[in-house]
Amino acid sequence: MNTYVKKPWGSYQIIEEGSNYLVKNITVKPGGQLSLQSHNNRSEHWVVVSGEAEVIIDDKKIILLSNESIYIPKKSKHRLMNNGNKNLVIIEVWHGENLSEKDIERYEDIYGRL
């Protein structure tokens, strides 16, 4: 497994995949942010391993530190940002019946991927 993918905001590595779950190790570079997005077929659970995460879920902004976590329900608009000066590392768990990278609706993206 251990698929490694570079992104404009950092990178991710797929750690494990099952019939209704997928586990990733995500690294977000300082100043990096994922698009404001939602998913129709999966929920996500994020655990901060190192760094400080700024998370937007719908209209709420939450700061997470190492060993803190958050649940992202299906269909909620969300974003992960690293406003710190060192890498942000999180473990992300997807859960759902249809797990695909294509299950993404982008609303805003600083890298022009709308």
Side-chain angles (χ1 to χ4, degrees):
M1 176 68 48
N2 285 340
T3 304
Y4 179 83
V5 178
K6 290 187 99 170
K7 292 290 198 174
W9 42 260
S11 62
Y12 70 82
Q13 185 173 17
I14 297 174
I15 299 170
E16 186 172 338
E17 188 170 5
S19 62
N20 64 347
Y21 72 94
L22 185 135
V23 182
K24 289 182 177 181
N25 180 316
I26 295 178
T27 300
V28 184
K29 300 181 290 194
Q33 61 178 260
L34 283 67
S35 56
L36 181 64
Q37 59 188 261
S38 66
H39 312 289
N40 288 317
N41 297 303
R42 71 175 181 256
S43 60
E44 298 178 344
H45 188 184
W46 299 342
V47 179
V48 177
V49 175
S50 66
E52 181 178 301
E54 183 173 315
V55 179
I56 304 291
I57 301 179
D58 296 318
D59 295 325
K60 289 187 243 166
K61 179 166 76 169
I62 300 124
I63 302 295
L64 296 177
L65 303 175
S66 183
N67 201 33
E68 294 183 331
S69 65
I70 195 159
Y71 175 74
I72 314 292
K74 275 196 280 192
K75 300 184 180 180
S76 65
K77 286 185 183 179
H78 60 281
R79 170 179 273 156
L80 176 65
M81 296 173 280
N82 180 1
N83 294 325
N85 57 9
K86 64 178 186 171
N87 282 345
L88 165 64
V89 180
I90 71 163
I91 300 299
E92 175 182 72
V93 179
W94 294 5
H95 192 271
E97 297 304 314
N98 181 6
L99 302 177
S100 167
E101 289 290 341
K102 294 178 181 175
D103 179 23
I104 182 169
E105 184 169 346
R106 286 192 175 94
Y107 304 97
E108 295 173 12
D109 184 76
I110 66 171
Y111 308 106
R113 299 174 299 162
L114 294 178

